[in-house]
Amino acid sequence: MQPHRRAAWHAYLAIATDLLPALRSAASTETVLSEQFAALSERLAAGHRWWGPDGHRMMAIAARADAMHHCGDHAGAAVLVRALAVRLFAISSSTPTASRDGCDPP
């Protein structure tokens, strides 16, 4: 798997297996959610250089979702995180994406 796809896949998995379930769970503590958002931010920071404008956009969306979560808007944060997951999954797939004009980066 190409590095840009692998980075997207790992960020997607962080959302799908850790962050979204934690946001949905009423039992999740603030500490757990903060750790999950920090882990997602690290994964996005590691891969954003390969994703062009999408990378910067996704980092901003993740930061906004984290801020919403800190304000108590878990539902709004979950909406943004799900949108990130969809985009990351598309980047990780073998089909070129529209944001790359149908082309893979080198």
Side-chain angles (χ1 to χ4, degrees):
M1 181 180 274
Q2 297 166 327
H4 73 283
R5 294 187 193 286
R6 184 178 300 110
W9 179 247
H10 287 290
Y12 167 80
L13 287 177
I15 292 171
T17 62
D18 298 325
L19 183 54
L20 270 177
L23 277 170
R24 291 183 188 130
S25 173
S28 293
T29 65
E30 186 71 22
T31 303
V32 169
L33 286 169
S34 293
E35 289 171 356
Q36 297 301 327
F37 273 107
L40 175 61
S41 293
E42 287 177 23
R43 293 203 178 274
L44 291 174
H48 86 279
R49 68 179 183 266
W50 290 306
W51 304 327
D54 276 350
H56 297 290
R57 202 172 303 124
M58 288 188 293
M59 289 178 65
I61 291 169
R64 181 64 186 142
D66 190 17
M68 291 171 78
H69 137 292
H70 283 294
C71 291
D73 186 2
H74 294 242
V79 168
L80 291 179
V81 169
R82 276 192 297 273
L84 280 176
V86 169
R87 186 67 194 125
L88 287 163
F89 186 84
I91 291 170
S92 73
S93 74
S94 61
T95 306
T97 61
S99 70
R100 293 270 184 202
D101 297 325
C103 301
D104 271 346

